[in-house]
Amino acid sequence: MGTDTNTRKGRAGWHLTHDLDDFLARAGAFLRSRPAPHTVPLTVTETLRTRGRSVYGEGAPEFGVLERDGEVRAAFFRTPPHWLNLTAVTPEEADTLAARLAALGRRPPGVHADSGTAAAFAEAWQRHTGAPAALRQRQRLYRLGTLTAPGPVPPGRPRVAVASDRELLRRWHDEFSASVGLGTVRGSAEWADARIDSGTITFWETPDGTPVAMAGTSPRVAGQVRVTTVYTPPGLRGRGYAGAATTEVSRAARAAGAAEVLLFTDLSNPTSNGLYQRIGYHAVADFAVYDFTWVSPTGAVRAHGHSSSRDQPSPARSSSRR
């Protein structure tokens, strides 16, 4: 990808690149200026920077920056085979990007953005490519206010996952992904190893030391941390274990210096949305995921995105199973 030729004085244009350093040099300050709504590009680009460009899949990551007279107005990234992730844009700006990517022959499997932006891009993509767009999931981004432990707290204690937990983490990762109907691009063993190395998965365990739930966090970037991968095995749900684990990782993030602690939820799950509000989380903005469908000579083929082995908030990463 190269620079969009529409970038001229007084006119907004998209600069497209595969170069992460170039993208961050152009868009880094813009992304950090609003860390809550930009939590996903902040954490994903940090993971790409620290763990390598192929951490989310074998395809080369794609980036874009919308600029006018030297001012950044929006940005996007995509780590194939995942959805396009786009910051807030106007319908006109969404149309310009859709036209540009369609002309280059790009085929993202869908888009993840705030609700208005996602809908505008999905409509524009269908106009320019003929690929129908279907709403896959509505999400809500929450920010932690005053942390309040949900009562009563179940018996037990939190514990950070260590090397001896590798097999359990691998199994729970597979179960979690299967429960939301998506596979993973990166192996569960690799996911477990990365989480153990970074110390970013916490169990809630019973008094006898048995893990009964887990919750994770993303790297701290621009002062924000996002809670991810909250999971309780089916036979252990309804006992407050996930709430206790989520409360602990939220507390620990704050104690470690996070200015903002965030999380995404699936709006179709009233249980998790209610729990997070009781803990002290408040709504920031609504987001949406759309899938695009491609028509081939053999019939319609839905270009599904994949759940990520790291912290992109695809449906698999946004939903908690409790």
Side-chain angles (χ1 to χ4, degrees):
M1 285 193 278
T3 303
D4 193 308
T5 56
N6 286 338
T7 305
R8 297 196 298 268
K9 184 174 177 59
R11 183 174 181 179
W14 286 95
H15 173 87
L16 308 181
T17 182
H18 288 292
D19 187 329
L20 175 61
D21 293 333
D22 177 37
F23 174 71
L24 291 176
R26 291 173 179 269
F30 165 75
L31 295 176
R32 290 171 180 269
S33 70
R34 300 184 66 203
H38 298 161
T39 176
V40 178
L42 283 169
T43 54
V44 169
T45 54
E46 178 65 9
T47 301
L48 289 169
R49 188 185 68 81
T50 58
R51 293 190 173 273
R53 307 302 195 260
S54 63
V55 67
Y56 292 110
E58 297 305 321
E62 304 168 1
F63 308 99
V65 183
L66 180 64
E67 299 173 305
R68 174 180 286 163
D69 294 336
E71 179 185 357
V72 176
R73 300 175 60 86
F76 80 84
F77 76 87
R78 187 168 89 87
T79 53
H82 304 292
W83 293 272
L84 181 82
N85 185 284
L86 178 61
T87 67
V89 295
T90 66
E92 293 77 16
E93 291 164 344
D95 185 79
T96 300
L97 178 60
R100 175 71 170 149
L101 295 180
L104 290 171
R106 307 299 179 199
R107 286 199 169 190
V111 62
H112 176 248
D114 69 87
S115 295
T117 295
F121 185 84
E123 292 170 5
W125 191 252
Q126 184 165 344
R127 282 197 305 274
H128 288 287
T129 67
L135 178 65
R136 182 185 186 92
Q137 187 182 80
R138 295 190 185 278
Q139 302 173 348
R140 181 158 291 161
L141 176 66
Y142 286 90
R143 176 191 286 118
L144 181 62
T146 301
L147 182 62
T148 304
V153 177
R157 57 190 175 272
R159 177 175 65 78
V160 174
V162 297
S164 59
D165 299 308
R166 183 176 187 268
E167 178 57 27
L168 178 61
L169 282 178
R170 186 200 62 74
R171 186 171 73 250
W172 279 10
H173 177 265
D174 286 343
E175 292 173 4
F176 179 74
S177 298
S179 72
V180 294
L182 293 175
T184 57
V185 175
R186 311 296 285 182
S188 56
E190 182 181 352
W191 177 88
D193 289 340
R195 290 304 202 140
I196 291 166
D197 289 345
S198 61
T200 52
I201 284 286
T202 294
F203 292 122
W204 188 262
E205 61 181 20
T206 56
D208 67 359
T210 302
V212 289
M214 70 176 179
T217 52
S218 68
R220 188 174 75 204
V221 187
Q224 61 82 36
V225 167
R226 192 172 66 255
V227 176
T228 66
T229 323
V230 180
Y231 178 70
T232 306
L236 298 172
R237 293 173 189 169
R239 306 181 192 184
Y241 297 143
T246 303
T247 300
E248 172 57 22
V249 297
S250 301
R251 182 206 62 75
R254 274 258 175 94
E260 294 189 293
V261 184
L262 309 165
L263 57 79
F264 279 97
T265 65
D266 178 353
L267 280 174
S268 70
N269 186 337
T271 300
S272 62
N273 281 270
L275 169 64
Y276 294 140
Q277 291 176 68
R278 290 194 301 274
I279 290 173
Y281 282 88
H282 303 281
V284 175
D286 286 353
F287 285 68
V289 179
Y290 284 83
D291 282 338
F292 302 148
T293 301
W294 301 95
V295 178
S296 72
T298 59
V301 178
R302 182 172 299 281
H304 282 305
H306 295 260
S307 69
S308 166
S309 61
R310 301 297 191 273
D311 299 310
Q312 299 193 51
S314 67
R317 292 292 162 256
S318 307
S319 305
S320 56
R321 287 296 179 264
R322 47 185 88 260

